[in-house]
Amino acid sequence: MPRSAKPPAESKPRTPARRKSTTAKKPRTRARKAPKAAASKAAPSLKGLTFHPVDSSHWKDFERLFEAPSAPKYCWCMAWRTQGKEAREFSSADRKAAMHARVKKRVPVGILGYLDGAPVAWCSIAPRPTYRGNLGGPTVDGEKPEKVWSLACFFIPRALRGLGMTPRLISAAVAHARKHGATVVEAYPVDADSPSYRFMGFVPVFEAAGFQDVGLAGSRRHVMRLALS
C-alpha cells in the first residue's frame, strides 16, 4: 500500500428508522359518576280539603285556578252556558267576562275545592235553567226546572288526579245544591272510553254516588239523576 494512501474510514452502523404505529390509540374515557337517586315525592294528600261556592269574594280564587298552567282558560266553563250573543264570542277574554258577569249578579255557577288555602279543583253546579237548553235532562210533570241543579263539569289539575277528588267534589256539589233548595241533581257523564266530554265525569263515579241512569243526551252523554227529596 503506498504511504500516501489513507485507510478507508470506518462507516458507522445505520440504525433502522422507527416505523409509526398504525394502531389507533384508544381515547381516554373519564369514569362517569353514578347518577344520584331521585328523591321520591310523597303523593299529595287531600286531608283538609274544603269547598266554597264561587261568589264575588272568591272570584280571584276562581281566576287563579283557571289561569294556572293546563287549566281550561280557553273556556272559563262557559261551554254549556253561552246563549244568544255570547255564543258568537269565542275568545277567552269574552268567556271570562261572561262568567264574571254571572258571578257579580249572584248567579250560582259552581264550587271550588281548597287545600292549604289554595284553590285546587272546580265543579260546575248550578240550576239547570242557567245552562243552555241542549245540556240534557228530561222534563218531568210537576217538577220545577229551577229545582233541578245540573252538575256539568270538573277541573282537577293532573297532580291531584287519581286520589279520589271527583267523589269529594260530587258530594260537596250535592250538599251545595241541597242547601239552596234543589230537589234533584242531574249529571251528564260519559263512559270511560269516550273520546269526548270527559270533563263531565264518568258513569261509574256517579253510580257509586247513588245517581240513576235515566237516558242519553246525544250519542255519548248519559243523563244521571239523584233525587234529594
Side-chain angles (χ1 to χ4, degrees), residues 83-104:
Q83 301 182 44
K85 182 184 176 183
E86 289 177 338
R88 297 187 294 274
E89 296 173 343
F90 292 106
S91 76
S92 173
D94 289 333
R95 295 188 172 193
K96 177 181 177 180
M99 177 61 89
H100 198 188
R102 282 164 170 75
V103 172
K104 287 189 288 187

Side-chain angles (χ1 to χ4, degrees), residues 172-185:
V174 169
H176 175 65
R178 189 195 302 272
K179 181 180 178 180
H180 288 81
T183 58
V184 174
V185 173

Side-chain angles (χ1 to χ4, degrees), residues 3 8 12 26 34 37 63 98 142 161 163 170 172 182 187 195 197-198 206 208 218-219 221 224:
R3 291 182 181 179
K12 294 181 180 180
K26 294 182 180 180
E63 191 176 43
R161 294 175 191 173
L163 301 176
I170 293 172
Y197 298 112
R198 297 170 69 85
F206 284 95
S219 60
R221 294 183 295 117
M224 302 190 73

